[in-house]
Amino acid sequence: MKVVGISGLPGSGKSLVSKIAKEKNIIVINMGDLVRKEAKKRNADVGETSIKLREEFGEYVLAKLTIEKIKKESETANSKKISLL
């Protein structure tokens, strides 16, 4: 399995890279999507949820959740490439 992490400021092209990766059947995991999903469960604001998650589970909770998602996707995926945004 190959994992590629992508980060950048708003407008730096992360969404474009994500779109191209998806077109090439590469799994794309967006950390922001994980926070938005949790915010929806909590019926709370995304920013507030991000802060609360760190308070409840520690500074690296989002990285840990992302790693869990990568492991889950790699077990079920036909593709061996994962792009992380």
Side-chain angles (χ1 to χ4, degrees), residues 8-82:
L9 296 171
S12 63
K14 299 180 304 291
S15 295
L16 178 61
V17 171
S18 174
K19 179 183 173 191
I20 293 168
K22 287 177 183 178
E23 288 172 359
K24 296 190 177 289
N25 295 320
I26 296 172
I27 298 166
V28 175
I29 298 172
N30 187 315
M31 290 176 80
D33 290 345
L34 299 175
V35 178
R36 284 185 282 277
K37 182 178 178 180
E38 185 63 27
K40 188 173 181 179
K41 284 183 193 175
R42 295 174 179 227
N43 195 28
D45 176 80
V46 173
E48 175 187 327
T49 300
S50 182
I51 291 167
K52 291 288 187 185
L53 283 170
R54 287 183 178 95
E55 288 173 353
E56 293 169 17
F57 302 105
E59 182 179 356
Y60 302 107
V61 65
L62 297 177
K64 290 176 183 176
L65 290 172
T66 303
I67 289 167
E68 288 174 18
K69 179 77 171 172
I70 290 169
K71 287 179 179 177
K72 180 180 174 186
E73 289 292 335
S74 69
E75 290 172 359
T76 60
N78 292 331
S79 171
K80 294 188 178 190
K81 297 179 184 174
I82 298 176

